[in-house]
Amino acid sequence: MQAKRSMTVAFTVAAALLGAQPAHAGAGVKWSAAPAVPLRFGVTAAELNDVAVLSANDAWAVGEQADGQRHPIAAHWNGTGWMTPNLPVPTGPQGQYGLSTVDATGPNDVWAAGTDASTAPVFLHGTATGWQRVPSAVPAGTVEDLDMLSPSDGWAVGKTARGTGQPLVLRWQGGSWTAVAAPEIDGSLTAVHAVTADDVWAAGRQTEPDGSTSGLLLHWDGTAWTVAGQLPPLPGSGDVAFDDVSAAAHGDVWVVGARCTGEDDCTPLALHLGAGGWQVVPSDETATRLTGVVAFAADDVWMTGYVAGTLDAESVHVEHWDGVRFTTDQQAGHDPSDPAGGHGQPASGLTAIAGDPVNRDLFAVGWTLEVHVTPYAIHR
């Protein structure tokens, strides 16, 4: 799914309006800003990290909020607004947790995951009767993304807490989460997408011996995880990280991310696996980073991210693939009336996108900075 922009980073952002963009995308259907997500009293910072969409009237968004302590957010969209159910209460300061990812196979089978203060993965399961914490005897580490194939089969990925960290891969099967062997590489995984039980992709970054990072792609063939085949030369310079992965079908896979020499000195990356192998696909160069992708079909792919301007400013960015090229959807631009922190311009960024594959209803989520960092969501 997504690159997770931490609230610490978001606090430092002074905002700017989205700059001039190329052609519009998705003509005829406009993005709309969703109402505010209810938060705890006294919260000084909050953001959404991921979203799962079952229909236009049934979606879940997760994230975290802070009021001196760390608290999870799980918000349900019912077509008109967000409802926030009670979540399992952490036990003690080390049990404080946020939620980084969510997925659902149906209204009564919703999963959310994150990490607590002791670097232990946290798994929550939601049904019609509420949310319960699901115990897991898995290695310490951070969970960044999950993808559920069915109520009895799903994957979660992240980074182990061992040493400098290696890819963490977990599987839900037989009623429990268990660790699955992955290539022993210094690095981490930020996204996973399961096409079928024997066709699963995971994306992230690999730490090289000199400390630089390169993009990391792993593939599960039903038996083992292996590093994906040769990737093409990537544009730009600096460290590479893949932030999200999505597949429209077997052999039709998209990966997005960025290559950076600094926090916002980046070249956006979009890669596609088709009949001719992996290729870099040109996208809007005014974007700073691409953080999310959802592929409905060979001619219907959406990407989200952000644009950085002057003074470390950021604003939302959405592109659409029509089978020939990517075009930027200006209708998704965020322009709140209240300046960010008194700097005179707004700030916002998108961390994830998801959609209903039947009706292709879409939600994209992230954060906006006005007086405080708060959750932000758009839908179409």
Side-chain angles (χ1 to χ4, degrees):
M1 291 218 175
Q2 65 304 359
K4 307 300 191 288
R5 299 280 293 173
S6 70
M7 287 191 289
T8 301
V9 172
F11 264 130
T12 67
V13 176
L17 290 171
L18 189 63
Q21 302 289 335
H24 291 266
V29 179
K30 294 184 178 181
W31 289 90
S32 299
V37 173
L39 301 175
R40 297 170 61 95
F41 177 78
V43 164
T44 56
E47 65 179 348
L48 297 176
N49 292 325
D50 200 11
V51 62
V53 182
L54 293 169
S55 71
N57 301 317
D58 190 359
W60 285 91
V62 300
E64 57 186 283
Q65 53 189 320
D67 59 1
Q69 295 184 336
R70 189 181 180 205
H71 306 280
I73 297 173
H76 180 246
W77 174 260
N78 61 12
T80 58
W82 298 100
M83 303 293 290
T84 51
N86 293 326
L87 297 176
V89 177
T91 56
Q94 290 298 101
Q96 294 180 23
Y97 66 95
L99 294 174
S100 56
T101 178
V102 63
D103 197 24
T105 67
N108 292 314
D109 183 38
V110 185
W111 283 92
T115 309
D116 70 15
S118 68
T119 325
V122 174
F123 289 98
L124 306 181
H125 187 239
T127 66
T129 60
W131 285 85
Q132 302 292 329
R133 184 162 180 172
V134 178
S136 59
V138 298
T142 59
V143 174
E144 296 293 341
D145 194 24
L146 59 78
D147 194 29
M148 305 301 296
L149 269 170
S150 70
S152 60
D153 191 7
W155 294 89
V157 300
K159 180 180 180 179
T160 68
R162 182 179 59 192
T164 58
Q166 294 185 340
L168 175 66
V169 179
L170 309 172
R171 190 173 191 181
W172 174 257
Q173 211 173 33
S176 65
W177 288 99
T178 56
V180 178
E184 295 186 355
I185 297 170
D186 289 339
S188 61
L189 296 171
T190 54
V192 61
H193 182 90
V195 185
T196 60
D198 58 359
D199 186 11
V200 186
W201 292 89
R205 69 184 71 190
Q206 177 176 344
T207 304
E208 304 293 348
D210 63 0
S212 64
T213 64
S214 58
L216 177 61
L217 275 178
L218 302 182
H219 182 254
W220 170 262
D221 62 3
T223 303
W225 284 94
T226 56
V227 178
Q230 185 68 33
L231 297 178
L234 302 178
S237 60
D239 292 336
V240 177
F242 296 146
D243 294 336
D244 201 10
V245 59
S246 181
H250 177 74
D252 185 2
V253 185
W254 290 86
V255 175
V256 299
R259 188 170 196 175
C260 304
T261 57
E263 172 65 30
D264 285 328
D265 185 9
C266 302
T267 299
L269 298 175
L271 283 75
H272 179 239
L273 173 63
W278 285 100
Q279 294 182 339
V280 175
V281 180
S283 60
D284 189 346
E285 294 181 354
T286 63
T288 299
R289 191 179 197 105
L290 298 172
T291 57
V293 60
V294 57
F296 289 129
D299 60 354
D300 191 4
V301 180
W302 291 86
M303 306 189 301
T304 55
Y306 65 91
V307 176
T310 58
L311 299 176
D312 235 3
E314 294 181 3
S315 48
V316 303
H317 182 79
V318 177
E319 294 185 53
H320 180 254
W321 172 261
D322 61 4
V324 178
R325 64 170 183 163
F326 277 110
T327 54
T328 299
D329 194 339
Q330 289 180 313
Q331 296 171 345
H334 178 39
D335 185 13
S337 58
D338 190 29
H343 290 288
Q345 295 175 321
S348 53
L350 295 173
T351 55
I353 185 171
D356 162 24
V358 176
N359 297 310
R360 302 189 182 181
D361 301 302
L362 283 164
F363 267 85
V365 300
W367 57 271
T368 184
L369 173 62
E370 297 179 20
V371 178
H372 301 294
V373 180
T374 57
Y376 180 61
I378 57 176
H379 62 104
R380 73 189 297 275

